[in-house]
Amino acid sequence: IDGILVNHAHSVSELSAEAFVMRILRSKNKRGFIRAISDRPDAFAGSDSAPERVMRRCFAHHLEVWPRIREEVQLCLQNSACQPDVHQKTVKLPPREQEIQRRLLNIIESTLEELQRDPNVELGHLTVQGSLFQT
């Protein structure tokens, strides 16, 4: 193995599978490269040690920050080969699972209604749909 490319570097934890694989690579192959990328710059702005923590977890020795306004990044993102080819498939649930899903949604809905009645709890515009799917 010449190297590893780690996507979503901001979410790598010390006990994650990615960190385990990178530890094995570093112990067996001192010359192999590790490139860790992230599309969440806010994950690095949380504290002064956030970049160092990610670098340590990814066994990275150098940090390069390439903002999206950089010309090379814009050209790469505009390339049609970089665009994802997404196919969505939906599978109909069997009747028993549909019943379980319906009952769970009823429980969530009644819990939210009960919480909204409490004047000490501020839920804003929280709904069953909003609590299940982030927009």
Side-chain angles (χ1 to χ4, degrees):
I1 297 176
D2 291 329
I4 295 177
L5 180 64
V6 180
N7 198 14
H8 305 297
H10 58 274
S11 65
V12 173
S13 71
E14 293 182 16
L15 299 175
S16 67
E18 293 89 352
F20 176 71
V21 170
M22 288 184 282
R23 259 193 305 280
I24 291 174
L25 177 72
R26 277 291 179 237
S27 67
K28 304 288 183 186
N29 183 354
K30 299 292 183 193
R31 293 177 35 204
F33 71 87
I34 295 176
R35 300 288 185 267
I37 60 174
S38 175
D39 61 351
R40 295 256 331 267
D42 57 316
F44 295 93
S47 69
D48 291 338
S49 63
E52 290 86 4
R53 188 173 44 247
V54 172
M55 289 174 64
R56 186 178 62 249
R57 290 177 182 164
C58 294
F59 299 91
H61 302 291
H62 305 287
L63 174 67
E64 290 185 32
V65 179
W66 286 50
R68 292 185 185 138
I69 60 172
R70 196 167 169 166
E71 185 178 356
E72 299 98 317
V73 175
Q74 285 185 359
L75 290 173
C76 179
L77 292 174
Q78 291 172 359
N79 185 353
S80 61
C82 290
Q83 301 304 316
D85 184 21
V86 179
H87 300 276
Q88 181 175 346
K89 295 185 179 192
T90 53
V91 178
K92 185 171 177 157
L93 289 175
R96 289 186 67 190
E97 281 79 6
Q98 284 180 353
E99 180 64 21
I100 292 170
Q101 182 183 40
R102 187 183 62 74
R103 289 178 187 229
L104 284 172
L105 290 173
N106 285 341
I107 291 170
I108 294 170
E109 186 174 19
S110 61
T111 303
L112 284 174
E113 286 173 2
E114 188 171 328
L115 284 172
Q116 287 172 344
R117 282 192 289 256
D118 188 343
N120 298 320
V121 178
E122 175 59 41
L123 296 177
H125 298 292
L126 189 60
T127 62
V128 175
Q129 185 77 7
S131 63
L132 293 176
F133 307 105
Q134 292 182 351
T135 56

